[in-house]
Amino acid sequence: MSVWKSGLLCLFLVSVLTFTQNANAADKNASTLSKDKQPQRYRLQARASQLDPRTKEYPEINFVFGTKEKPQDLENASVDTRVESKGKLVIWLMGHNDGLFERLNSYGLHAIQVSYANKWFGILCQPAPKDEQARGNVRLEAATGEDFSDELNLAKSDGMSERAYQFVKWLAKENPQGNWSQFLTSDGKELRWDKVIIAGSSHGSTTAARFAQHQRVDRVVMHCGPRDQDQDWQANSSATPANRFFGFSHVLDGGWTGKHYCRSWELLKLNQYGPIVNVDQQSTPFQNTRRLISAADVKGDAKRAHSSVTPGGSSPKDGKGNYLYEPVWKYLFTHPVDDVGMPTPLDPDCQ
């Protein structure tokens, strides 16, 4: 090899090494919070219509801004700078639940709740969906703002993903102590989906699962869901690997008694990563499974059972007033995705 070629090769190797070191350093820096002179838990709110002038209302699906007194496009965020950051952002697809967000922050997670088109159910795909992908297509358009459904015509600025990006971009400026910028790409033009945990309850969990099939994310957490028992989109190929999906339901929930959730979990191939585990009978790490259930006392109320799997008045507590599901919530959001349970066969009762 000539001296010239040898020198060129050395220069190339040094450049690659420098790039790798810089990338690693950037990731390392992104995983920790900027120094906060007064570490605390920050809670922030903003209206989607004020963050992005391109946003529009869609009254035909009850997707509107509301009024100054009663805003319907309010978005919420929180982070606790007293806790070492895990470098992950939870995007919550349901009404804001500060009890849940407080726990997420205690795990070292950032959290936002985004305003997006989630009231279409009961309006579109009526009286029945035209095919086995119809509801999934509406969900995907609501999540992305892209044209996936002929029953919906959202602009990209009104999809969940763009509204989440605009919110995080605002948070990065409004709350630099929280280091929200770590969830933006280096050019600041997109979210870093590899750092996102997409989560929700009920229809929110269903949309989270459909979106994660389209866009690879770090993790999917599905409380009381997914639904869409008359659909087959759950079996679609997925950009997010199945071991990154986690589900939790109460057995008195109508979605469970109707076999909706267990069917969706199997279509999502979660049976390949462990059995259905009753959290009342086993402790964390619950055989490293992705499918968790509970039969804790909810006074025999199916509606209460439905909402019991997230913090709130319906969630069961022990004699000291502590939530029974504390270890479950932490497991769902923080259990290492590469730690998986043993595969189990399909359950014919779930079909």
Side-chain angles (χ1 to χ4, degrees):
M1 181 181 294
S2 69
V3 173
W4 180 81
K5 288 183 177 180
S6 178
L8 186 62
L9 177 60
C10 290
L11 180 61
F12 172 76
L13 291 174
V14 169
S15 298
V16 170
L17 180 60
T18 301
F19 174 82
T20 303
Q21 290 173 335
N22 289 340
N24 291 338
D27 280 341
K28 183 177 181 181
N29 290 336
S31 68
T32 59
L33 289 173
S34 57
K35 292 182 179 180
D36 187 358
K37 295 180 179 179
Q38 295 181 312
Q40 60 187 282
R41 181 169 181 253
Y42 292 94
R43 292 185 291 176
L44 302 100
Q45 290 183 327
R47 295 187 63 177
S49 57
Q50 295 176 347
L51 296 180
D52 186 352
R54 300 172 302 163
T55 55
K56 298 188 298 183
E57 295 183 291
Y58 301 80
E60 65 276 13
I61 56 170
N62 199 21
F63 187 31
V64 295
F65 299 149
T67 64
K68 181 179 180 180
E69 293 74 22
K70 294 183 178 181
Q72 295 190 37
D73 63 335
L74 195 63
E75 301 180 323
N76 293 271
S78 63
V79 62
D80 194 333
T81 59
R82 298 168 297 184
V83 182
E84 183 178 358
S85 174
K86 292 286 197 302
K88 303 291 174 63
L89 170 68
V90 177
I91 300 180
W92 178 247
L93 304 186
M94 191 43 70
H96 181 233
N97 182 331
D98 193 56
L100 175 63
F101 275 32
E102 186 175 15
R103 283 158 179 79
L104 298 178
N105 298 156
S106 74
Y107 309 154
L109 303 173
H110 291 59
I112 64 172
Q113 170 260 328
V114 181
S115 166
Y116 79 106
N118 59 3
K119 296 181 179 178
W120 60 266
F121 200 83
I123 300 174
L124 305 181
C125 297
Q126 298 298 320
K130 68 176 184 178
D131 58 41
E132 293 76 15
Q133 297 284 326
R135 294 191 200 278
N137 289 338
V138 174
R139 293 187 186 283
L140 193 53
E141 182 153 341
T144 64
E146 299 174 23
D147 186 18
F148 287 100
S149 172
D150 58 10
E151 297 187 60
L152 193 58
N153 188 27
L154 288 187
K156 186 174 182 180
S157 55
D158 298 305
M160 174 278 295
S161 53
E162 180 65 16
R163 288 196 171 188
Y165 161 67
Q166 294 293 337
F167 193 23
V168 171
K169 189 168 66 168
W170 176 82
L171 288 165
K173 295 179 179 179
E174 186 73 14
N175 181 227
Q177 305 94 321
N179 193 19
W180 297 89
S181 60
Q182 66 180 297
F183 305 115
L184 300 172
T185 54
S186 58
D187 60 8
K189 294 182 179 180
E190 295 181 82
L191 284 180
R192 284 198 58 179
W193 291 106
D194 62 315
K195 287 178 167 286
V196 167
I197 298 172
I198 193 81
S201 61
S202 193
H203 286 295
S205 73
T206 314
T207 298
R210 183 64 189 93
F211 177 73
Q213 289 182 326
H214 170 76
Q215 170 67 59
R216 178 167 177 143
V217 294
D218 178 75
R219 182 188 304 248
V220 189
V221 179
M222 306 171 295
H223 301 261
C224 49
R227 304 188 72 87
D228 288 359
Q229 64 275 12
D230 54 6
Q231 300 281 276
D232 289 339
W233 60 259
Q234 298 94 328
N236 292 356
S237 60
S238 179
T240 303
N243 66 301
R244 293 176 178 268
F245 287 70
F246 293 76
F248 180 37
S249 170
H250 194 285
V251 297
L252 292 185
D253 184 329
W256 183 261
T257 57
K259 312 297 183 184
H260 307 167
Y261 305 160
C262 68
R263 172 183 178 270
S264 288
W265 290 353
E266 290 196 346
L267 290 175
L268 290 168
K269 302 181 177 61
L270 304 194
N271 61 293
Q272 296 180 6
Y273 303 100
I276 294 173
V277 171
N278 188 324
V279 301
D280 311 333
Q281 301 170 355
Q282 297 189 34
S283 58
T284 188
F286 308 115
Q287 297 187 50
N288 296 314
T289 192
R290 300 303 185 256
R291 301 180 293 165
L292 301 175
I293 61 170
S294 170
D297 182 20
V298 290
K299 312 302 181 185
D301 187 336
K303 291 184 178 179
R304 183 170 179 171
H306 186 63
S307 58
S308 69
V309 293
T310 54
S314 297
S315 196
K317 298 179 179 180
D318 63 20
K320 297 181 179 180
N322 301 310
Y323 284 115
L324 296 179
Y325 298 148
E326 292 286 7
V328 181
W329 296 324
K330 187 172 185 179
Y331 175 88
L332 292 169
F333 285 94
T334 67
H335 183 70
V337 293
D338 293 328
D339 292 352
V340 299
M342 296 295 294
T344 61
L346 295 174
D347 182 351
D349 198 35
C350 281
Q351 303 306 306

